[in-house]
Amino acid sequence: MANTINERLEQLREVMRREHLAAFIFPSTDPHQSEYVADHWKCRQWISGFDGSAGTAVVTMTNAALWTDSRYFLAAEEQLRGTEFQLMKLKMEGTPTIAQWIGEEIRNARYPYEDWTEVGIDGMVSSVNQVRKLIADLRQQGGITLRTNLDALQQIWTDRPPVPQKPVEIHSLEYAGETTASKLSRIRQTLHERHADGMLMASLDDIAWTLNLRGSDVHCNPVFVSYLLIASKSATLFVDRQKLTPGVLACLKQEGIQVDDYANVASALKNYFEYNILLDPDEVNYALYDVVKNYTHNDTRSHVQIVEEKSPVKAMKAIKNDIEIQGFRRAMLKDGIAMVKFLKWLKPAVEAGGQTEMSLDAKLTALRAEQSGFRGISFDTICGYEQHGAIVHYEATPETDIPVEPRGLVLIDSGAQYLDGTTDITRTIALGPLSEEQRRVYTLVLRGHIQLSMCKFPDGTAGTQMDILARQYLWREGLNYLHGTGHGVGQYLNVHEGPHQFRMEWVPAPFRTGMTVTDEPGIYLAGRFGVRIENVLLVTPYQETEFGRFLQFEPLTLCPIDTKPILRDLMLDEEVEWLNQYHSMVYETLAPHLDDDERQWLLEATRAL
């Protein structure tokens, strides 16, 4: 693979020579700023060989580098080995920014022409704010400019997968709980409050939620490639018409949604007939923003006014209605049944021998597939045994797959898509004897998980204000993890959903009743083991006092947490009480759906400390 990557770099540099570009930047996104993208837009992966969900590759005429975060440090080192790419570890001391690195490269290199100070990036896959920041940062490096109108791989990626054309399906009202007409009415009301007549919706999960439709264009995410242009009294879906069945077309027509080809969105923006349009600069790509910015209205010199604000849809989508919450409960019940069947099978199977990380993944997926309404996994399973558990986003492959033995820890982070809802769960399981260090780290992680789950907080509190609860015991031991502590979860949609989240960095999005969020602290000791424990939580009312409305968290995930690694003396009584109450709830909810042997196993697994 390394030789292939180096050959691709030479082909890219031929393009760069023709275009007089000193560097080219490859982000991880698509035209919709998706976290997970269809194969057609995996340009960064194609040019670098790194397949993580987050990262940016940069190629100059003489060097190449890739920036990614702590989740992928170990995986990136392995995948980049033998290529020209050097790993740049984000948020680590001494790591230059992309602009700083490019500036140094240009200053140190001898380019054929003195004016080779232009850098390229594809404006169709780069958000407005991303491009603006790059322009500003590059300017500080001595007047380097940014070009945004070139897809550098268009000519050299000869076997590039096409834009996906998989069918769109209706997400019925029994699962959605609110009509498209109602959602559009609420969106338009919010736009009116922001002095906008309409908006361009580019986020694929926002479009799917608004229209009560689902698709399968993106691996693990039930979305379809499209844009939605909303005006004050009309709306147009830009999508490949081949994807729309007669039933979907009839549904859209009934809701008053017009349909146009996906490729026509730029033309429609040029002909936008109202005076104000909301464009979220973090969601809309720079190329389409530029179309609106340079648009002349009806051949006069009066430009359409752009309202730059956050899309109102994400905050709406994050608050689940009663029907969606009921769906989550059904999905968690199904997932809990599958997890109990898996955990009951796990240790005897490992003791019998012949199990690997990939076989564990296959078994769990098969058990989930037995549940009604199963629509696939919600992300690629992370099954890391011992040292592989320390690789935050490890995904076993035939090359990395190792035997799982009856000792140590296995970390399994997995989830499923059901018609009712989306699940995301991590359990770290003792397969046999553990070291004292493993037990201590496990207990510290569990205590942080419990403390965050027990939190009571004022309505509107941001996740950053609560994040310390999950980290406090780890920090006391000089331990930390560099990923977020939790993210929103979609309702049969993307497993990662915003805007609310738990993380160290300041994220002002408020927590409200009806939101779902994960609670997943962890610790990763390179070359030794990793621990992560994760539940999905629902934000519910707690109480109202003279100081306002207070909220709390209710665990939705139904699965025992392994008690064998716990050092009881480290835990507070309130933490033990929470765990015992959680296990009692898990048993009472799942037991009626299990056979006698499974029920007996669960009784032992949830026995009070």
Side-chain angles (χ1 to χ4, degrees):
M1 185 62 183
N3 289 336
T4 300
I5 296 302
N6 291 334
E7 290 172 5
R8 291 172 181 175
L9 288 173
E10 285 308 309
Q11 291 178 301
L12 171 64
R13 287 175 177 135
E14 283 299 318
V15 175
M16 292 165 60
R17 287 187 186 96
R18 290 198 301 269
E19 301 293 337
H20 288 191
L21 292 173
F24 206 92
I25 301 170
F26 297 91
S28 300
T29 54
D30 62 8
H32 308 273
Q33 307 311 304
S34 307
E35 179 183 12
Y36 299 103
V37 304
D39 291 345
H40 177 80
W41 288 293
K42 290 183 178 178
C43 297
R44 185 222 62 217
Q45 180 176 331
W46 188 84
I47 198 64
S48 70
F50 170 63
D51 63 5
S53 67
T56 302
V58 183
V59 180
T60 69
M61 296 301 295
T62 55
N63 282 310
L66 181 129
W67 282 255
T68 192
D69 60 51
S70 63
R71 296 173 297 169
Y72 297 110
F73 287 169
L74 296 179
E77 285 177 353
E78 179 64 29
Q79 293 177 4
L80 298 178
R81 186 170 291 123
T83 74
E84 290 187 34
F85 281 92
Q86 56 181 306
L87 175 61
M88 298 293 182
K89 298 181 177 181
L90 287 171
K91 300 182 182 178
M92 301 299 288
E93 187 175 352
T95 299
T97 67
I98 289 172
Q100 288 170 342
W101 185 80
I102 290 174
E104 191 66 22
E105 283 288 304
I106 290 177
R107 286 189 289 272
N108 293 338
R110 293 182 178 178
Y111 290 100
Y113 303 97
E114 292 182 1
D115 62 347
W116 277 35
T117 57
E118 189 172 47
V119 173
I121 191 170
D122 185 357
M124 278 298 295
V125 299
S126 308
S127 74
V128 176
N129 278 344
Q130 179 186 12
V131 169
R132 283 175 176 166
K133 186 176 188 310
L134 271 171
I135 289 172
D137 291 347
L138 289 170
R139 187 179 294 124
Q140 293 180 357
Q141 298 299 315
I144 301 172
T145 58
L146 188 67
R147 177 179 170 184
T148 61
N149 64 347
L150 177 66
D151 177 356
L153 302 187
Q154 188 171 16
Q155 297 177 11
I156 63 175
W157 190 357
T158 55
D159 59 347
R160 186 171 185 170
V163 176
Q165 297 180 341
K166 297 180 180 178
V168 177
E169 61 184 29
I170 296 170
H171 188 57
S172 68
L173 203 56
E174 69 173 297
Y175 300 115
E178 183 183 7
T179 66
T180 293
S182 173
K183 292 176 180 179
L184 287 172
S185 177
R186 289 202 289 139
I187 291 169
R188 288 187 175 109
Q189 177 60 38
T190 304
L191 292 175
H192 178 73
E193 293 167 359
R194 300 183 186 187
H195 306 290
D197 302 309
M199 69 173 290
L200 176 66
M201 198 182 300
S203 178
L204 301 184
D205 57 327
D206 288 359
I207 296 169
W209 176 84
T210 301
L211 299 180
N212 289 337
L213 298 174
R214 297 294 187 268
S216 55
D217 280 349
V218 180
H219 179 55
C220 297
N221 297 333
V223 298
F224 52 98
V225 174
S226 58
Y227 292 97
L228 182 62
L229 181 59
I230 299 176
S232 59
K233 294 182 180 180
S234 66
T236 303
L237 176 65
F238 295 88
V239 64
D240 189 327
R241 293 172 185 268
Q242 298 180 49
K243 302 151 75 83
L244 305 182
T245 65
V248 171
L249 283 169
C251 180
L252 290 169
K253 184 177 181 180
Q254 183 178 353
E255 295 288 359
I257 310 295
Q258 301 173 48
V259 176
D260 201 347
D261 290 334
Y262 178 71
N264 290 343
V265 63
S267 298
L269 289 171
K270 291 178 183 178
N271 295 313
Y272 181 74
F273 54 87
E274 301 198 70
Y275 289 96
N276 299 288
I277 185 169
L278 186 144
L279 300 178
D280 184 337
D282 289 316
E283 177 181 316
V284 174
N285 66 60
Y286 187 81
L288 291 183
Y289 177 92
D290 211 37
V291 168
V292 180
K293 180 182 175 184
N294 295 320
Y295 162 55
T296 302
H297 188 73
N298 291 337
D299 295 325
T300 71
R301 305 313 298 173
S302 173
H303 290 283
V304 170
Q305 296 299 307
I306 297 175
V307 177
E308 286 196 28
E309 289 198 30
K310 289 285 185 183
S311 166
V313 182
K314 285 181 169 48
M316 294 179 182
K317 175 165 54 59
I319 298 175
K320 275 55 183 180
N321 60 48
D322 290 343
I323 297 298
E324 290 175 313
I325 291 171
Q326 292 174 25
F328 262 107
R329 295 190 191 282
R330 292 193 302 270
M332 295 296 173
L333 176 64
K334 297 171 187 178
D335 217 53
I337 293 169
M339 285 296 300
V340 166
K341 291 176 181 290
F342 172 76
L343 293 174
K344 177 181 178 295
W345 167 87
L346 177 60
K347 290 182 183 178
V350 170
E351 290 168 358
Q355 298 299 325
T356 70
E357 294 165 328
M358 291 184 72
S359 72
L360 266 54
D361 177 8
K363 178 67 174 181
L364 179 52
T365 300
L367 290 169
R368 282 186 164 124
E370 294 175 358
Q371 301 299 314
S372 64
F374 176 78
R375 303 307 297 268
I377 56 176
S378 56
F379 57 96
D380 288 316
T381 300
I382 298 165
C383 183
Y385 174 61
E386 286 290 76
Q387 69 270 22
H388 283 172
I391 304 173
V392 182
H393 269 210
Y394 171 76
E395 180 188 344
T397 66
E399 294 73 30
T400 66
D401 193 25
I402 58 175
V404 178
E405 301 174 3
R407 60 175 177 79
L409 296 171
V410 62
L411 185 160
I412 304 176
D413 186 352
S414 64
Q417 296 284 7
Y418 302 95
L419 286 173
D420 316 85
T422 303
T423 68
D424 185 0
I425 175 175
T426 308
R427 291 294 184 264
T428 304
I429 304 122
L431 297 175
L434 301 177
S435 69
E436 189 69 11
E437 180 185 42
Q438 286 176 317
R439 297 186 68 193
R440 184 176 187 85
V441 167
Y442 182 95
T443 306
L444 294 173
V445 171
L446 175 59
R447 293 185 68 196
H449 172 90
I450 292 172
Q451 286 292 337
L452 181 55
S453 191
M454 291 194 303
C455 182
K456 311 295 188 286
F457 55 97
D459 187 5
T461 301
T464 308
Q465 295 169 286
M466 296 181 272
D467 182 79
I468 178 61
L469 295 172
R471 299 180 191 265
Q472 56 182 319
Y473 299 124
L474 300 172
W475 285 0
R476 292 177 190 178
E477 302 279 338
L479 300 170
N480 197 18
Y481 53 96
L482 299 182
H483 60 71
T485 303
H487 55 82
V489 180
Q491 195 271 336
Y492 183 37
L493 261 180
N494 294 3
V495 72
H496 293 156
E497 188 175 273
H500 60 295
Q501 52 192 293
F502 298 120
R503 63 186 318 110
M504 289 192 297
E505 300 86 357
W506 174 239
V507 177
F511 275 64
R512 304 292 188 194
T513 299
M515 287 181 167
T516 52
V517 65
T518 63
D519 172 2
E520 49 179 314
I523 284 297
Y524 315 94
L525 301 176
R528 288 136 74 191
F529 65 92
V531 174
R532 184 160 66 247
I533 299 169
E534 175 188 20
N535 280 350
V536 175
L537 311 177
L538 174 69
V539 181
T540 64
Y542 175 50
Q543 65 176 341
E544 288 196 41
T545 73
E546 61 185 299
F547 297 100
R549 181 185 299 110
F550 285 76
L551 308 178
Q552 62 184 347
F553 295 118
E554 173 196 340
L556 289 175
T557 302
L558 297 169
C559 180
I561 295 170
D562 197 352
T563 57
K564 291 181 177 60
I566 294 174
L567 294 175
R568 171 65 179 82
D569 292 345
L570 288 183
M571 296 186 69
L572 299 176
D573 288 344
E574 67 173 6
E575 294 163 355
V576 173
E577 181 182 0
W578 181 94
L579 184 60
N580 288 339
Q581 289 179 352
Y582 174 71
H583 276 158
S584 176
M585 182 268 292
V586 168
Y587 180 81
E588 291 173 5
T589 307
L590 293 180
H593 304 276
L594 304 172
D595 65 28
D596 290 344
D597 289 344
E598 293 160 352
R599 196 158 40 244
Q600 184 59 41
W601 180 90
L602 183 59
L603 182 65
E604 291 298 320
T606 56
R607 191 173 297 282
L609 287 181

